[in-house]
Amino acid sequence: MEPQKKNKPNSLVVILFALIVLMIIVYFILAMFFPTVFDLMNKGDIQPVPNK
């Protein structure tokens, strides 16, 4: 019996997936230790539409 070739994902896909996970973890760490940075950011609050 020949050894079967395993279906492995491309290394670029693995690196991109790892970067996305790392960015999410870094975001939560920053949000825990520096909440004022995220409080000052624009949240896109709803504003009234002026009548014309």
Side-chain angles (χ1 to χ4, degrees), residues 4-51:
Q4 291 181 343
K5 189 174 182 182
K6 293 198 174 190
N7 188 10
K8 290 170 51 175
N10 192 354
S11 61
L12 185 65
V13 174
V14 173
I15 291 171
L16 287 176
F17 184 75
L19 279 176
I20 291 171
V21 171
L22 189 69
M23 291 289 284
I24 293 171
I25 292 171
V26 167
Y27 168 77
F28 281 114
I29 290 172
L30 286 175
M32 279 179 13
F33 289 107
F34 305 107
T36 54
V37 174
F38 296 97
D39 290 340
L40 296 174
M41 288 176 68
N42 185 11
K43 298 180 187 68
D45 294 330
I46 298 174
Q47 298 177 352
V49 178
N51 292 329

